[in-house]
Amino acid sequence: MENSKIFSVLEQYKDNVKYEIEKKLLRIKSNHSYAEISLYGAQVVSFIPNDQSDLLWLSPLTELNQKKAIRGGIPICWPWFGKHPQNDELPQHGFARISQFALDTITNLPDGNINAQLSLVSTPASKQLFPYDFKLVVDITVGQQLKVSLTTHNTGSEPFAISEALHSYFSVNDISETHIKGLKNTTFFDQLKSKNMQDLSEAIIVTQEVDRIYQADKQALEIEQTSKPTIHITQENCHNVVVWNPWISKAQSMQDFPNNGYLNMLCIESANISPEINIAPQATHQISQTIFD
Ligand code: BG6
């Protein structure tokens, strides 16, 4: 999207929305919080409620240069989660997080919140990866809470199936003092052991690499910490929750991840992975995740 078009969308919001051309980054100041959104991936990379610290974690080694997926914030995994089901050579977690989105609208809401709407439409290049017509809309509302909605429109004449995730990286002070609550008695697929298991604990405490896909249409989860306010997460229309922390050796193997970064981050992802979501021609499907402290 050309910069002139972006500035024409932003013109009337000069005071509370700035755009950094080189990084393709929107800086949004609502009455209640501050957020940054990269147009590359339609990815929120920072969310700071007034008088608080960032709820999201962004790797200090990631570069906002539109060449590689951004490590941190809220990446959008779409139209597939993880490896492509048939072809390992296609990009991990789909192509939304490595695509330039258009900025459609910015709206000042009456309650002092600010909404940004970004979109991605199918092109001949996207059809090499996913041979369907679509429009993907990312709707981000910045207020006391941060709400990210992902809407898939099937704009073509053939049905298609997707998997998807709002792959949020949360910032935590100390992983050893962090409790994830809300998944008790829930079955999960352990991606490291390739088997189904059940979580019986009151709270999950991460003490090693964790990569789990929970069968959970849980509406409410909490990240409880001793030295920081509890982070609340709600999700709509998702039947999975992914919990991921790379721990030591995986952290060391990722170039854009600091060796000790695993101590201060935790991914809690709102997802539909298994089963996939089928979307009929001209139909629409929407998920969302809301975070607040
Ligand atoms: C998680 C997956 O969602 O994302 C993990 O469950 C994966 O298996 C992690 O390692 C990070 O993926 P990527 O592609 O951003 O390194």
Side-chain angles (χ1 to χ4, degrees):
M1 187 180 186
E2 291 160 33
N3 290 327
S4 58
K5 283 195 193 146
I6 295 171
F7 283 113
S8 74
V9 175
L10 291 181
E11 201 160 356
Q12 45 190 316
Y13 300 101
K14 281 194 205 77
D15 292 339
N16 43 19
V17 184
K18 307 274 184 236
Y19 180 61
E20 206 179 308
I21 296 176
E22 212 170 290
K23 291 184 174 169
K24 294 202 176 287
L25 199 67
L26 290 168
R27 298 179 185 279
I28 297 184
K29 180 80 199 79
S30 80
N31 285 0
H32 314 282
S33 57
Y34 171 79
E36 292 179 357
I37 302 167
S38 165
L39 298 197
Y40 183 71
Q43 190 160 334
V44 182
V45 294
S46 172
F47 174 60
I48 311 177
N50 290 351
D51 305 321
Q52 303 276 354
S53 53
D54 212 319
L55 267 51
L56 299 176
W57 181 86
L58 180 67
S59 169
L61 300 182
T62 201
E63 287 183 61
L64 303 183
N65 60 7
Q66 297 105 54
K67 290 191 179 138
K68 196 171 175 255
I70 300 169
R71 174 75 62 196
I74 310 186
I76 288 168
C77 305
W78 188 96
W80 58 87
F81 174 90
K83 287 192 188 340
H84 184 276
Q86 286 90 37
N87 183 351
D88 275 5
E89 285 174 14
L90 296 184
Q92 152 104 343
H93 286 327
F95 55 85
R97 67 175 180 165
I98 49 170
S99 298
Q100 294 287 357
F101 279 64
L103 175 65
D104 296 336
T105 56
I106 295 268
T107 315
N108 268 330
L109 302 172
D111 50 9
N113 294 352
I114 297 180
N115 174 272
Q117 192 178 294
L118 297 88
S119 65
L120 181 72
V121 289
S122 45
T123 60
S126 73
K127 286 193 180 170
Q128 304 284 317
L129 303 169
F130 182 68
Y132 303 102
D133 290 309
F134 67 83
K135 180 172 185 181
L136 182 66
V137 177
V138 180
D139 207 278
I140 300 162
T141 302
V142 180
Q144 238 150 20
Q145 309 186 336
L146 175 77
K147 180 169 184 179
V148 181
S149 300
L150 181 66
T151 308
T152 306
H153 300 273
N154 180 342
T155 53
S157 51
E158 285 178 67
F160 61 69
I162 60 160
S163 54
E164 58 189 340
L166 296 166
H167 187 312
S168 305
Y169 286 73
F170 293 96
S171 167
V172 300
N173 267 0
D174 179 352
I175 195 74
S176 69
E177 295 188 358
T178 301
H179 294 195
I180 306 160
K181 290 194 161 166
L183 291 167
K184 190 179 175 185
N185 296 333
T186 311
T187 53
F188 63 87
F189 179 72
D190 189 323
Q191 301 233 79
L192 305 171
K193 298 186 177 131
S194 283
K195 66 175 185 187
N196 286 311
M197 302 177 73
Q198 193 177 23
D199 211 315
L200 301 172
S201 51
E202 206 58 55
I204 304 163
I205 303 171
V206 177
T207 54
Q208 57 188 325
E209 184 179 358
V210 172
D211 192 351
R212 301 175 175 180
I213 301 174
Y214 284 84
Q215 282 301 336
D217 30 25
K218 287 279 173 203
Q219 302 297 309
L221 300 173
E222 288 177 359
I223 303 176
E224 211 176 75
Q225 302 178 67
T226 39
S227 50
K228 255 184 143 184
T230 295
I231 301 174
H232 301 266
I233 306 161
T234 63
Q235 62 184 40
E236 286 168 288
N237 223 6
C238 294
H239 48 246
N240 296 116
V241 172
V242 179
V243 177
W244 180 64
N245 181 297
W247 212 248
I248 300 166
S249 51
K250 181 128 195 210
Q252 287 170 347
S253 72
M254 290 186 285
Q255 281 187 346
D256 56 359
F257 199 102
N259 285 352
N260 60 359
Y262 70 96
L263 294 168
N264 302 110
M265 58 68 68
L266 172 67
C267 286
I268 306 274
E269 311 167 32
S270 296
N272 285 311
I273 299 164
S274 165
E276 291 184 323
I277 300 292
N278 294 305
I279 308 178
Q282 304 304 314
T284 289
H285 157 80
Q286 183 177 65
I287 61 169
S288 61
Q289 185 187 62
T290 303
I291 67 176
F292 55 100
D293 65 4

